[in-house]
């Protein structure tokens, strides 16, 4: 098979790495890719939102399967465009990608399908939003309806904080159109885990679970990020709870999407809160998480490419994936300044030594080669991952590898896995 992965982060490096291991693969490209993907695929200089050029490339190179990594091309319709050109794409249509693109849409699906989620209301005017916040009191959650790259959610501890978020999103337009409509939600309490499912429109199979670390600093302090580290499996999501989440959240959502004529194909990522009343949905994403993907794929023992193809072909009914019993952990190394403005083009060394630690795999994200040297080029720069006989051993290996990376301007959290390990 001839495969094109779309994206340039650690997630896409991991996707390329796993797909490259498939005996069914004959040729792999990554657009635009990074120096890590270049080790296992041929990088193609086309941006993730240049859908017209991606389709032309896929057609000209007889690509059999396109695998988009992130949500921007999915929401923009890459699957629709590829399908229209007769090219298979393992990702939802733009209509189905609304599960990530609009929080209000997701709530409507949950209400229609009886999926447990936070109580919510949608507002188009700031005055009514403020009234509701004053009536309900804090804590309360204010969310921009549209995509906001992780900046659209405020878990407000006080009414004043909630009102400030309403003013910022709805009146100051801090997030542009994404924040003109807001969703205000009940604040759920519990442990948060991410559950992934591979879907073919009708069937869904579990694709592993992980716990992310969204805050930038040790002890979960500081601003939100795309994710500073992850581990899998999270002990808090017992097999019984995972089963419950598949039955009460993932499968009803899939059935409701199909009933509406917009079946969901691809990877459905459920952000769950494990509340006293059982798992409740916080949000859906329509793709793998980053860095969750990196740790999940380290544990996958089945052929990823065949699984993605089965999802596209509607053949997941009898498909099951095999997993390593060994846990995996991933530590993100980010550039100083992240999640604000990261310092760029600072030299990175020691990756061969880091990769050489037993059980370790280093994935590239924001790196580039400049004048023959590897330098940083983004906020999240590397995901240093490891497996081990238990989570403690995996964590020790990952941090031993981090210590071998020579990068003065990089930083990382030193407590990835703390909820499971203390
Ligand atoms: P989201 O972008 O929807 O994932 O939200 C970002 C983060 O805000 C989540 O990972 C949760 O930690 C938190 N969050 C979102 N919605 C709620 C809620 N209803 N109750 C409590 N925390 C929430
Ligand atoms: N790490 C969270 C995400 O990819 O959305």
């Amino acid at each position: 098979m001839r495969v094109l992965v779309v994206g340039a982060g650690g997630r896409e490096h991991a996707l390329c790495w796993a797909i490259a291991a498939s005996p069914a693969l004959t040729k792999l490209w990554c657009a635009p890719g990074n120096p890590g993907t270049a080790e296992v695929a041929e990088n193609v200089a086309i941006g993730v939102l240049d859908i017209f050029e991606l389709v032309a490339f896929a057609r000209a190179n007889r690509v059999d399967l396109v695998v988009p990594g992130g949500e921007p091309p999915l929401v923009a319709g890459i699957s629709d465009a590829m399908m229209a050109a007769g090219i298979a794409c393992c990702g939802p249509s733009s209509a189905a990608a609304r599960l990530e693109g609009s929080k209000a849409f997701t709530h409507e699906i949950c209400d229609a399908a009886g999926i447990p989620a936070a109580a919510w209301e949608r507002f188009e005017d700031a005055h009514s939003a403020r009234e509701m916040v004053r009536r309900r009191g804090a804590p309360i959650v204010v969310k921009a309806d549209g995509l906001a790259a992780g900046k659209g959610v405020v878990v407000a501890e006080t009414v004043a904080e909630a009102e400030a978020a309403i003013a910022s999103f709805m009146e100051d337009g801090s997030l542009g159109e994404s924040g003109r409509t807001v969703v205000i939600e009940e604040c759920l309490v519990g442990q948060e885990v991410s559950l992934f499912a591979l879907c073919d429109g009708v069937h869904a199979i579990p694709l592993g679970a992980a716990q992310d670390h969204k805050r930038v600093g040790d002890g979960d302090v500081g601003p939100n990020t795309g994710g500073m580290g992850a581990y899998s499996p999270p002990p808090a999501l017992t097999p019984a709870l995972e089963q419950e989440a598949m039955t009460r959240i993932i499968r009803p959502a899939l059935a409701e999407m199909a009933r509406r004529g917009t079946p969901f194909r691809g990877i459905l990522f459920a952000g769950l809160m494990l509340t006293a009343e059982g798992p409740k949905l916080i949000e859906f994403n329509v793709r793998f998480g980053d860095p969750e993907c990196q740790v999940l794929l380290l544990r996958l023992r089945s052929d990823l490419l065949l699984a993605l193809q089965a999802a596209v072909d509607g053949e997941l009914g009898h498909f099951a994936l095999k997993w390593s019993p060994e846990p995996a952990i991933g530590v993100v190394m980010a550039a100083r300044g992240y999640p604000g403005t990261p310092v760029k083009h600072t030299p990175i060394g020691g990756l061969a030594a880091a990769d050489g630690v037993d059980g370790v795999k280093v994935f590239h994200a924001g790196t580039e080669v400049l004048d023959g040297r590897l330098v940083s080029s983004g906020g999240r720069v590397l995901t240093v991952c490891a497996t081990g006989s238990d989570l403690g051993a995996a964590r020790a290996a990952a941090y031993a590898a981090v210590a071998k990376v020579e990068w003065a301007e990089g930083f990382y959290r030193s407590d990835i896995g703390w909820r499971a390990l203390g």
Side-chain angles (χ1 to χ4, degrees):
M1 284 174 69
R2 298 161 69 79
V3 179
L4 171 64
V5 171
V6 178
R11 168 179 52 206
E12 288 76 22
H13 184 190
L15 285 168
C16 286
W17 172 79
I19 290 170
S22 170
L25 184 78
T26 50
K27 176 75 192 176
L28 181 60
W29 293 273
C30 188
N34 63 39
T37 64
E39 292 167 8
V40 285
E42 184 181 326
N43 285 349
V44 183
I46 306 176
V48 300
L49 286 173
D50 296 332
I51 289 175
F52 186 79
E53 278 138 75
L54 290 169
V55 170
F57 178 87
R59 210 189 242 142
N61 290 282
R62 294 172 286 110
V63 166
D64 299 304
L65 181 68
V66 176
V67 183
E71 70 284 7
L74 291 166
V75 171
I78 189 171
S79 283
D80 313 72
M82 291 293 174
M83 296 295 199
I87 300 158
C89 182
C90 189
S93 63
S94 64
R98 283 190 77 202
L99 281 177
E100 177 157 0
S102 165
K103 311 251 185 220
F105 177 76
T106 300
H107 271 298
E108 284 164 15
I109 295 289
C110 289
D111 290 352
I115 294 169
W120 72 291
E121 262 183 75
R122 160 202 178 118
F123 296 93
E124 316 258 337
D125 81 280
H127 180 70
S128 326
R130 268 194 208 98
E131 274 193 344
M132 133 71 139
V133 162
R134 285 179 198 147
R135 206 170 53 241
R136 295 287 298 256
I140 198 156
V141 182
V142 180
K143 299 185 172 183
D145 179 53
L147 288 182
K151 300 193 174 75
V153 175
V154 173
V155 180
E157 299 297 338
T158 63
V159 168
E161 226 181 296
E163 289 188 15
I166 291 166
S168 157
F169 295 168
M170 303 188 80
E171 291 170 338
D172 306 341
S174 61
L175 299 172
E177 284 311 303
S178 286
R180 295 291 177 195
T181 299
V182 302
V183 164
I184 299 186
E185 285 180 10
E186 159 200 13
C187 188
L188 299 173
V189 182
Q191 251 203 77
E192 231 179 302
V193 297
S194 307
L195 175 65
F196 296 83
L198 185 60
C199 306
D200 68 3
V202 176
H203 311 102
I205 61 171
L207 193 50
Q211 194 161 50
D212 192 10
H213 298 64
K214 293 210 183 193
R215 302 299 188 103
V216 74
D218 280 8
D220 287 334
V221 299
N224 260 325
T225 68
M228 292 299 291
Y231 63 95
S232 169
L237 189 71
T238 60
L241 286 176
E242 177 177 312
Q243 185 66 42
E244 184 179 343
M246 288 299 293
T247 309
R248 296 190 61 201
I249 296 176
I250 302 277
R251 294 202 171 99
L254 205 60
E256 178 63 19
M257 292 301 283
R259 195 187 66 73
R260 292 177 178 224
T262 51
F264 186 93
R265 270 183 220 95
I267 291 153
L268 189 57
F269 164 170
L272 303 177
M273 191 71 89
L274 304 179
T275 73
E277 294 131 45
K280 291 193 179 179
L281 184 74
I282 298 174
E283 60 163 354
F284 277 130
N285 297 307
V286 299
R287 36 122 190 134
F288 260 128
D290 184 341
E292 292 94 325
C293 177
Q294 293 87 308
V295 292
L296 291 176
L297 293 186
L298 268 190
R299 297 187 52 236
L300 183 64
R301 286 290 164 269
S302 302
D303 186 320
L304 177 66
L305 180 53
L306 297 186
L308 298 177
Q309 183 65 48
V312 167
D313 293 339
E315 286 175 359
L316 288 180
H318 300 288
F319 216 92
L321 295 168
K322 293 197 205 72
W323 299 92
S324 161
E326 292 202 335
I329 194 161
V331 178
V332 168
M333 297 187 75
R336 217 175 46 222
Y338 179 76
T341 309
V343 292
K344 280 198 181 163
H345 297 158
T346 57
I348 301 167
L351 292 196
D355 244 329
V357 175
D358 206 26
V360 165
K361 176 72 198 159
V362 178
F363 294 109
H364 289 242
T367 64
E368 69 180 288
V369 176
L370 206 62
D371 300 326
R373 297 195 65 180
L374 189 72
V375 298
S376 67
S377 68
R380 293 189 294 169
V381 172
L382 300 167
T383 319
V384 179
C385 299
T387 53
S389 53
D390 58 29
L391 194 59
R395 175 154 88 168
Y399 280 109
V402 164
K404 293 194 185 292
V405 175
E406 294 155 13
W407 181 29
E409 287 79 8
F411 75 93
Y412 54 88
R413 274 182 64 162
S414 60
D415 64 347
I416 301 303
W418 71 270
R419 273 179 207 279
L421 288 167

